[in-house]
Amino acid sequence: MIPPQEASARRREIEDKLKQEEETLSFIRDSLEKSDQLTKNMVSILSSFESRLMKLENSIIPVHKQTENLQRLQENVEKTLSCLDHVISYYHVASDTEKIIREGPTGRLEEYLGSMAKIQKAVEYFQDNSPDSPELNKVKLLFERGKEFLESEFRSLMTRHSKVVSPVLILDLISGDDDLEAQEDVTLEHLPESVLQDVIRISCWLVEYGRNQDFMNVYYQIRSSQLDRSIKGLKEHFHKSSSSSGVPYSPAIPNKRKDTPTKKPVKRPGTIRKAQNLLKQYSQHGLDGKKGGSNLIPLEGHEHDFRVKHLSEALNDKHGPLAGRDDMLDVETDAYIHCVSAFVKLAQSEYQLLADIIPEHHQKKTFDSLIQDALDGLMLEGENIVSAARKAIVRHDFSTVLTVFPILRHLKQTKPEFDQVLQGTAASTKNKLPGLITSMETIGAKALEDFADNIKNDPDKEYNMPKDGTVHELTSNAILFLQQLLDFQETAGAMLASQETSSSATSYSSEFSKRLLSTYICKVLGNLQLNLLSKSKVYEDPALSAIFLHNNYNYILKSLEKSELIQLVAVTQKTAERSYREHIEQQIQTYQRSWLKVTDYIAEKNLPVFQPGVKLRDKERQIIKERFKGFNDGLEELCKIQKAWAIPDTEQRDRIRQAQKTIVKETYGAFLQKFGSVPFTKNPEKYIKYGVEQVGDMIDRLFDTSA
């Protein structure tokens, strides 16, 4: 059991805790009552606020709706007023822009195009909303008038600012590709930049808004005229320059034109200049091949004069292969070649200009029309050259034909650029140059064949034959003609190949053309040899005939050896050089036989036999006298005749003299030694007129009119 004292204490402790719990419970109860009261008060306040809000909402919402309606009405009024202003503005467009349109776009294109835009919008408005209104007709008329003024301005700008390109600038442009020393590229400014931009803007407007393509016709007509006039001006420049200074010129750099105009010769075709240079070399240095670098054999004395005469006639004689070849013909050839190059460069520049102005899908057609006049002019001139060559062939005048070679070569070299420039043009335009090339190849081949036939059939046997047996004019002309072909090997070979009918010729190679040219040269040389043989029969003296053939064969051989002709000949005839040497030796031997009538008198086989110390019989003395007299007369006669003959080649002349001198001196020396001391006459000086060395000296003076 728990002691009473502890129970009493435990009890008091419990009672104290109970009292505390009761006090806490009473506090909580009071708090709950206060909280309930506060809740009731808050609910009352919220209820009152809700009531007030509902009243406010019921008052504001109608006002808000009325305000929205008023704002919408205001916006509609403003839009209506704006639309009215916009519509009314269309009715004032005509009056607002009429003055600007009437005064035209010159000097104020931007403002003018702005007015045209307003007029166009007015037209569109009236067409959509009031197609029957008089205002539509008014703005339509104003729009058409404005478009006409723009077209007129386009024409005016193109006409006023499109200038002919000067010949000097064209020559700079042409030479720019080959002039490695040129410091700046040569460019063409067809229109000032500001004008170009105006033209481009007008063009774009006419295409996009004006629905007009007539300005393209205006453009190509104006630019076509300038292109054609530029090329014709270049041709006239050649004629004027050649007549005044002899050589057209072109400053190397355009921006230095005013300060340092430098004359520079244009490139020559190479045909006539070569012939003229050869003639100049002949006149100044002779033909020894040292000073003048000639391809021909040396000439001296009267033969030199004769050769210069030959070549002068070759350049001017109406029957020679170089007939009529003068400076004017050179100028025509040079002018045409440069006009072809000028056309390519100017056409390229024209297309660049056209690409900025003409719409893309119209560019090719417009360009085709633009170049037609200039291109047709070039083609017509080319056909005239072909026609002149055709007529010249009939006259056996091959000078005009020679102009075809440099022109044809240039056309073929320029054809890739031509094709590139004409890309996209009509087929008829593209085919013009190939057609001209074909015509020139055909006429060139015809000329070559006729020249070969003319060499073979030249009828001049009795007239114009050199009395001294020197080189015939026909030979020098033929060789000169062939040498000039060296400058045009590919061109001449292609001419010949173009006439071949075999399947291989359709795609002929350069080797094939070279073989054809070699065959042709061999044919000309063969024909020349046949003609020379025929001409040599004109001479009554076989020895002079032999000298004539010797000179001509030697001339041909030396000319072949000192040029590339020998390599060309060797392509098809490996033994040509040896053959000519054999012919030369044969003629030397034929010539030497002319001395037999001199040496036969004193030859051992024809001398009388007698015993030394035995007195000669009258018959034997007479025979010795006849031998001396026959030798003396024959020697004097031959020396007199042959002194007037010519062997231009110093080496050959010395060789022939030495060989003949050796034969005659040996024979005469033996004869003189045997009979010189024999008492066959009382007047030995009458028969023994010459010593052995005197005979040698006389032979040394053969073929020398100055001796």
Side-chain angles (χ1 to χ4, degrees):
M1 289 191 59
I2 302 172
Q5 293 179 347
E6 291 180 2
S8 177
R10 180 81 173 163
R11 180 178 168 181
R12 283 195 299 273
E13 182 180 352
I14 293 171
E15 288 177 351
D16 289 339
K17 287 183 178 181
L18 180 61
K19 185 177 179 179
Q20 290 176 355
E21 293 292 334
E22 287 177 350
E23 289 177 356
T24 301
L25 181 61
S26 176
F27 176 75
I28 291 172
R29 188 178 291 114
D30 290 341
S31 295
L32 286 173
E33 288 177 356
K34 288 180 181 179
S35 177
D36 289 341
Q37 185 62 39
L38 289 172
T39 299
K40 289 179 182 178
N41 291 338
M42 180 58 69
V43 170
S44 175
I45 291 171
L46 290 174
S47 297
S48 175
F49 185 71
E50 181 181 8
S51 174
R52 289 180 181 181
L53 283 177
M54 289 181 65
K55 289 180 181 180
L56 180 61
E57 182 179 357
N58 292 333
S59 300
I60 291 300
I61 286 177
V63 174
H64 177 67
K65 288 182 178 180
Q66 289 178 358
T67 301
E68 284 185 341
N69 290 335
L70 288 174
Q71 288 177 342
R72 190 178 297 110
L73 289 172
Q74 183 180 3
E75 290 176 357
N76 289 338
V77 169
E78 289 177 352
K79 288 181 179 179
T80 301
L81 290 174
S82 177
C83 288
L84 287 173
D85 289 340
H86 181 67
V87 170
I88 291 172
S89 68
Y90 287 132
Y91 285 86
H92 292 91
V93 164
S95 59
D96 292 343
T97 60
E98 185 175 7
K99 181 180 178 182
I100 296 174
I101 299 303
R102 185 175 63 251
E103 293 176 352
T106 303
R108 51 174 182 176
L109 181 62
E110 196 68 31
E111 180 185 5
Y112 191 89
L113 291 178
S115 297
M116 289 298 294
K118 293 179 182 179
I119 297 172
Q120 183 181 7
K121 290 180 180 179
V123 171
E124 292 172 352
Y125 171 79
F126 288 119
Q127 283 178 337
D128 294 339
N129 298 282
S130 184
D132 298 328
S133 67
E135 291 297 331
L136 176 60
N137 293 331
K138 185 182 295 184
V139 291
K140 269 188 175 182
L141 289 173
L142 194 59
F143 182 82
E144 291 300 323
R145 185 186 304 171
K147 185 169 71 171
E148 290 175 0
F149 284 149
L150 281 174
E151 293 172 2
S152 177
E153 179 70 4
F154 182 89
R155 179 189 293 274
S156 176
L157 289 174
M158 290 300 302
T159 302
R160 283 188 286 114
H161 297 281
S162 292
K163 305 297 183 183
V164 174
V165 183
S166 71
V168 172
L169 187 56
I170 295 176
L171 289 174
D172 286 343
L173 188 67
I174 295 173
S175 62
D177 293 341
D178 302 322
D179 191 357
L180 299 179
E181 298 180 356
Q183 299 296 317
E184 299 181 12
D185 292 333
V186 180
T187 57
L188 295 179
E189 185 183 67
H190 294 290
L191 298 173
E193 184 61 28
S194 59
V195 174
L196 176 61
Q197 294 305 319
D198 286 350
V199 169
I200 292 173
R201 290 213 59 189
I202 295 174
S203 168
C204 292
W205 190 93
L206 290 173
V207 171
E208 186 175 356
Y209 303 108
R211 304 293 188 270
N212 180 284
Q213 297 181 7
D214 292 342
F215 76 95
M216 300 180 196
N217 296 332
V218 172
Y219 177 86
Y220 91 70
Q221 289 168 1
I222 293 173
R223 294 307 308 171
S224 174
S225 174
Q226 301 303 327
L227 174 61
D228 191 41
R229 289 169 61 193
S230 297
I231 294 176
K232 289 179 178 177
L234 176 63
K235 184 177 180 181
E236 293 175 1
H237 175 75
F238 268 82
H239 290 282
K240 291 179 181 178
S241 298
S242 63
S243 61
S244 59
S245 62
V247 179
Y249 71 93
S250 165
I253 303 176
N255 63 1
K256 294 183 179 181
R257 183 170 294 115
K258 295 181 180 179
D259 302 326
T260 57
T262 306
K263 288 190 177 182
K264 63 180 183 181
V266 296
K267 294 181 179 179
R268 292 292 180 186
T271 303
I272 293 315
R273 289 298 170 219
K274 182 174 182 180
Q276 292 173 336
N277 289 338
L278 286 173
L279 178 57
K280 184 177 180 181
Q281 291 170 7
Y282 302 155
S283 302
Q284 293 179 351
H285 307 298
L287 300 176
D288 56 5
K290 296 179 181 179
K291 296 181 180 179
S294 169
N295 291 332
L296 306 180
I297 57 180
L299 303 176
E300 297 177 358
H302 69 294
E303 171 59 10
H304 171 265
D305 297 334
F306 180 75
R307 177 61 61 239
V308 172
K309 179 176 180 292
H310 264 196
L311 292 170
S312 298
E313 293 173 350
L315 292 171
N316 301 289
D317 182 31
K318 65 180 181 179
H319 298 298
L322 303 179
R325 299 287 301 190
D326 52 17
D327 286 341
M328 184 54 66
L329 197 57
D330 258 353
V331 170
E332 292 291 343
T333 302
D334 287 349
Y336 186 73
I337 287 174
H338 283 78
C339 285
V340 170
S341 296
F343 172 81
V344 173
K345 294 296 182 183
L346 293 177
Q348 290 173 342
S349 181
E350 286 292 343
Y351 192 83
Q352 293 172 358
L353 177 66
L354 177 143
D356 292 332
I357 299 174
I358 304 300
E360 183 176 359
H361 56 287
H362 292 287
Q363 289 174 4
K364 295 296 184 183
K365 182 179 179 181
T366 304
F367 180 71
D368 196 342
S369 301
L370 189 155
I371 62 173
Q372 284 303 314
D373 286 349
L375 181 59
D376 287 344
L378 285 177
M379 296 302 106
L380 177 59
E381 192 170 349
E383 290 298 338
N384 288 339
I385 292 172
V386 172
S387 178
R390 187 176 291 110
K391 294 176 182 177
I393 291 173
V394 176
R395 303 192 304 268
H396 298 297
D397 169 14
F398 297 94
S399 61
T400 307
V401 180
L402 287 174
T403 63
V404 172
F405 285 79
I407 292 173
L408 177 58
R409 180 176 64 181
H410 186 72
L411 289 179
K412 296 180 79 171
Q413 290 173 346
T414 314
K415 187 176 182 298
E417 289 185 90
F418 245 99
D419 293 341
Q420 185 177 5
V421 169
L422 301 182
Q423 186 178 4
T425 58
S428 58
T429 302
K430 294 178 183 178
N431 292 333
K432 288 181 179 179
L433 180 64
L436 179 59
I437 289 176
T438 299
S439 296
M440 286 194 171
E441 283 187 333
T442 301
I443 200 64
K446 170 69 173 171
L448 290 175
E449 291 302 321
D450 278 29
F451 178 79
D453 292 340
N454 191 56
I455 292 295
K456 180 179 180 181
N457 301 317
D458 178 38
D460 187 9
K461 294 181 180 179
E462 298 180 3
Y463 302 101
N464 204 27
M465 288 292 289
K467 296 180 180 180
D468 55 3
T470 189
V471 179
H472 195 276
E473 181 182 358
L474 181 69
T475 303
S476 61
N477 286 344
I479 292 299
L480 188 57
F481 184 87
L482 294 179
Q483 285 177 335
Q484 291 175 73
L485 290 184
L486 290 176
D487 291 332
F488 309 100
Q489 293 184 43
E490 293 184 6
T491 304
M495 284 178 176
L496 297 170
S498 67
Q499 304 306 304
E500 292 294 310
T501 57
S502 62
S503 58
S504 61
T506 57
S507 58
Y508 54 85
S509 63
S510 59
E511 184 63 29
F512 177 74
S513 299
K514 190 173 184 179
R515 290 188 64 83
L516 285 178
L517 183 58
S518 174
T519 302
Y520 171 76
I521 293 174
C522 292
K523 178 181 178 181
V524 172
L525 293 175
N527 291 349
L528 177 60
Q529 186 173 341
L530 291 174
N531 200 322
L532 290 173
L533 284 171
S534 177
K535 290 182 185 300
S536 68
K537 296 176 182 178
V538 172
Y539 296 111
E540 297 179 358
D541 191 335
L544 181 55
S545 177
I547 291 296
F548 171 77
L549 291 176
H550 163 273
N551 284 334
N552 282 271
Y553 292 155
N554 187 62
Y555 177 92
I556 294 170
L557 178 60
K558 290 293 181 68
S559 299
L560 294 178
E561 289 177 336
K562 293 183 179 180
S563 69
E564 295 179 19
L565 283 173
I566 192 65
Q567 286 86 357
L568 269 177
V569 170
V571 171
T572 53
Q573 280 197 14
K574 305 293 185 184
T575 62
E577 185 175 356
R578 185 180 67 189
S579 177
Y580 272 110
R581 294 193 186 281
E582 291 174 353
H583 289 319
I584 291 170
E585 290 302 320
Q586 288 174 3
Q587 299 310 318
I588 292 176
Q589 292 172 12
T590 301
Y591 162 74
Q592 289 176 341
R593 285 197 289 271
S594 69
W595 282 85
L596 290 178
K597 63 182 180 180
V598 177
T599 57
D600 276 353
Y601 282 104
I602 57 175
E604 182 71 27
K605 61 181 180 178
N606 296 324
L607 296 178
V609 179
F610 61 92
Q611 296 297 325
V614 178
K615 184 179 180 181
L616 295 176
R617 292 174 296 181
D618 291 341
K619 183 178 181 181
E620 291 174 336
R621 286 197 298 271
Q622 186 62 33
I623 291 175
I624 295 174
K625 291 179 182 179
E626 290 176 355
R627 296 294 184 266
F628 270 108
K629 186 177 186 304
F631 172 79
N632 293 335
D633 292 346
L635 176 65
E636 292 170 355
E637 180 184 1
L638 284 186
C639 288
K640 180 180 179 181
I641 294 173
Q642 295 185 9
K643 185 176 70 172
W645 297 354
I647 300 180
D649 189 336
T650 304
E651 180 182 347
Q652 286 289 318
R653 182 168 64 240
D654 292 344
R655 175 192 169 199
I656 292 174
R657 282 173 176 172
Q658 186 60 42
Q660 200 59 53
K661 185 167 62 174
T662 300
I663 295 172
V664 176
K665 284 177 66 177
E666 287 179 357
T667 306
Y668 183 63
F671 176 77
L672 196 60
Q673 183 178 5
K674 187 172 184 179
F675 295 101
S677 58
V678 173
F680 65 91
T681 179
K682 294 179 181 180
N683 301 309
E685 66 278 358
K686 179 179 178 181
Y687 297 98
I688 307 176
K689 297 174 63 174
Y690 305 105
V692 175
E693 293 303 321
Q694 283 182 293
V695 171
D697 291 341
M698 293 174 68
I699 295 176
D700 278 336
R701 290 193 292 271
L702 298 179
F703 316 116
D704 187 358
T705 57
S706 62

